[in-house]
Amino acid sequence: FVMAGVTFVWVAFRSLCFEAIGVRAQYASLSRHTQETCNKFDLISDYFLRPQANATFGERCENLRQQAIRSRVQVINTRFVLEWSSSLFVGIYVAFAIRS
């Protein structure tokens, strides 16, 4: 029961203490910007707004990349702890069971 409890606390801690990572929201924002830019390409071209559109696209790509990295790091860290927690609890159990 202890192992299940610690696992639950760990997952709850990771979910509540760390901000919800919105990779999908960043991807949707980038997708909307790209679609809007393609739909209004003539207008952008006529008013020489292409550098501004490119800069906005670059910023949104960078935001998406940063969010994806944070999300991946959180998943890897959580998975690492959960994989090693079972070995740790078995070791603790064996250490205490030897005394009995």
Side-chain angles (χ1 to χ4, degrees), residues 1 11 13 17 25 37 44 54 64 74 79 84-85 92 99:
F1 291 114
V11 171
F13 172 76
C17 292
T37 302
I44 291 170
N54 288 344
L64 175 62
Q74 183 178 4
R79 188 174 294 158
W84 280 94
S85 65
I92 291 171
R99 292 183 183 177

Side-chain angles (χ1 to χ4, degrees), residues 6-77:
V6 170
T7 301
F8 176 75
V9 168
W10 174 255
V11 171
F13 172 76
R14 296 293 288 180
S15 299
L16 296 175
C17 292
F18 293 99
E19 62 187 40
I21 299 175
V23 175
R24 289 184 181 172
Q26 292 291 332
Y27 182 76
S29 173
L30 178 65
S31 180
R32 278 192 308 271
H33 173 71
T34 304
Q35 186 67 32
E36 185 178 349
T37 302
C38 290
N39 289 340
K40 298 178 181 178
F41 182 75
D42 292 334
L43 184 65
I44 291 170
S45 178
D46 290 343
Y47 287 97
F48 303 105
L49 295 175
R50 191 167 178 195
Q52 183 181 358
N54 288 344
T56 304
F57 179 77
E59 289 172 10
R60 291 186 186 193
C61 283
E62 183 63 24
N63 291 341
L64 175 62
R65 189 180 71 81
Q66 290 294 327
Q67 291 285 64
I69 289 171
R70 282 187 226 136
S71 174
R72 192 67 187 146
V73 166
Q74 183 178 4
V75 168
I76 289 171
N77 287 342

Side-chain angles (χ1 to χ4, degrees), residues 88-100:
L88 178 68
F89 282 111
V90 168
I92 291 171
Y93 176 77
V94 168
F96 284 111
I98 288 175
R99 292 183 183 177
S100 300

